Amino acid sequence: MRRATALVIGAGLVALALTGCSSSPEANCDSALPSGSASSLVRASGPIGKEPKVTAPSPIATSSSNRTVLTEGSGATVTGGQLVELGYTLIDGSTGAVAGSGYGNQSGVLPLDTKASGVAGVLSRGVQCTKVGSRVAIAISPKDAGAQSSAAGAAQIYVVDVVNTSLAAANGAVRPSVSGFPTVVLAPSGQPGITLPSSGGAPKKVRSELLKEGDGATVKKDSIVVLQYTAVGWDNKNVLTTSWGAGGPDLASMSTGQSNIQNQNSSVLPQAMLGQLVGKKVGSQVVVETPASGSVPAAAWVVDILGVR
């Protein structure tokens, strides 16, 4: 069936070897959708991760979005800042008919951003603080659905399977620091602050230091990776690019550098940086120094490896 919404991204890039995080500084459930009468009308049967048989009366109307956990999973808890793999079925609340679905290679990847507007934000709050392996019915009000609303007063109904989730930040074992590399200080969320060395000048060649050593899946040259990163220019000390604060981690191709975030800026991640991630494991944090190349200035990157395909 057709894709239900462009806000659920990543068709064909899922089946990720995402590694769930058991705890996170963003594991706050206050913004999660409340339970409600509209979502409680939905029934779904069948194995998690495969398209279920969904039944719901019609029409279903609601003035506020709500959720019902139909099946509670036992995996990692979904929190803000993760990339979540979702199987989903969309039901037209005005007719009860299936309007779209995505499972297996067509399942969706959602950056969990509970502050986002529209359908993406409601879906994020709908799966927030559920566990991997859960099945959730989410009733989206016409106001929250906006232009995607099926009919006046009718809810947009999603039945969502939480298939997998990435880490929210690198959680590997801390490695001893190496003299001469940039100094990195982490906020409670895991977001890095970077201080460049006061002497020595900009790097003339690529080099890297492993700050945290993960024990998850290994990054390969042709992997699709889930990353959080910040790059600081060596000369002006300004942030050149960052995925932190962009609504969730980036999903990027190691072979091409194409990414969800950088593509919006008509740019790609540099191979000089990506090459230093090959052989590293999920959960690792790496600082990479890259020299100037053409119009691209020398930079210091701090990269968290959160998932890999």
Side-chain angles (χ1 to χ4, degrees), residues 34-212:
S35 58
S37 57
S39 57
S40 67
L41 297 173
V42 179
R43 300 288 183 269
S45 59
I48 301 296
K50 296 185 178 180
E51 187 166 359
K53 179 180 179 181
V54 179
T55 58
S58 60
I60 295 180
T62 184
S63 59
S64 59
S65 299
N66 55 83
R67 75 177 185 185
T68 297
V69 178
L70 303 177
T71 302
E72 187 171 358
S74 58
T77 300
V78 175
T79 65
Q82 295 175 329
L83 202 67
V84 186
E85 181 185 344
L86 303 174
Y88 66 90
T89 299
L90 171 64
I91 302 295
D92 186 333
S94 61
T95 65
V98 174
S101 64
Y103 294 87
N105 289 335
Q106 295 300 311
S107 57
V109 177
L110 177 72
L112 199 85
D113 182 6
T114 59
K115 297 180 180 179
S117 59
V119 172
V122 178
L123 290 175
S124 291
R125 291 185 284 119
V127 299
Q128 184 184 11
C129 292
T130 62
K131 294 181 180 295
V132 171
S134 295
R135 174 170 287 163
V136 187
I138 303 171
I140 304 179
S141 69
K143 178 182 177 181
D144 288 339
Q148 298 184 53
S149 178
S150 55
Q156 191 177 88
I157 307 294
Y158 276 88
V159 174
V160 172
D161 288 359
V162 183
V163 177
N164 215 334
T165 186
S166 73
L167 298 170
N171 66 349
V174 177
R175 295 286 301 271
S177 60
V178 177
S179 176
F181 276 88
T183 300
V184 179
V185 178
L186 302 180
S189 65
Q191 182 171 355
I194 305 170
T195 301
L196 301 180
S198 58
S199 61
K204 302 300 182 182
K205 62 180 181 179
V206 181
R207 66 172 188 160
S208 62
E209 174 194 4
L210 189 60
L211 300 179
K212 295 182 180 181

Side-chain angles (χ1 to χ4, degrees), residues 182-240:
T183 300
V184 179
V185 178
L186 302 180
S189 65
Q191 182 171 355
I194 305 170
T195 301
L196 301 180
S198 58
S199 61
K204 302 300 182 182
K205 62 180 181 179
V206 181
R207 66 172 188 160
S208 62
E209 174 194 4
L210 189 60
L211 300 179
K212 295 182 180 181
E213 186 171 12
D215 58 3
T218 301
V219 176
K220 299 179 181 179
K221 292 181 180 180
D222 59 351
S223 293
I224 302 296
V225 287
V226 183
L227 305 175
Q228 287 277 33
Y229 51 80
T230 295
V232 172
W234 209 276
D235 294 329
N236 60 20
K237 309 298 190 292
N238 291 334
V239 174
L240 300 177

Side-chain angles (χ1 to χ4, degrees), residues 9 13 16 18 81-83 109-112 166-168 224-230 241-253 257-265 267-270 273-274 301 303-308:
I9 62 172
L13 295 183
L16 296 172
L18 302 178
Q82 295 175 329
L83 202 67
V109 177
L110 177 72
L112 199 85
S166 73
L167 298 170
I224 302 296
V225 287
V226 183
L227 305 175
Q228 287 277 33
Y229 51 80
T230 295
T241 186
T242 184
S243 61
W244 294 91
D250 201 357
L251 186 67
S253 166
Q258 292 182 344
S259 76
N260 291 317
I261 293 174
Q262 298 302 321
N263 283 352
Q264 296 175 11
N265 300 321
S267 182
V268 296
L269 295 174
M273 179 274 286
L274 292 173
W301 294 75
V303 185
D304 286 15
I305 306 171
L306 306 180
V308 63

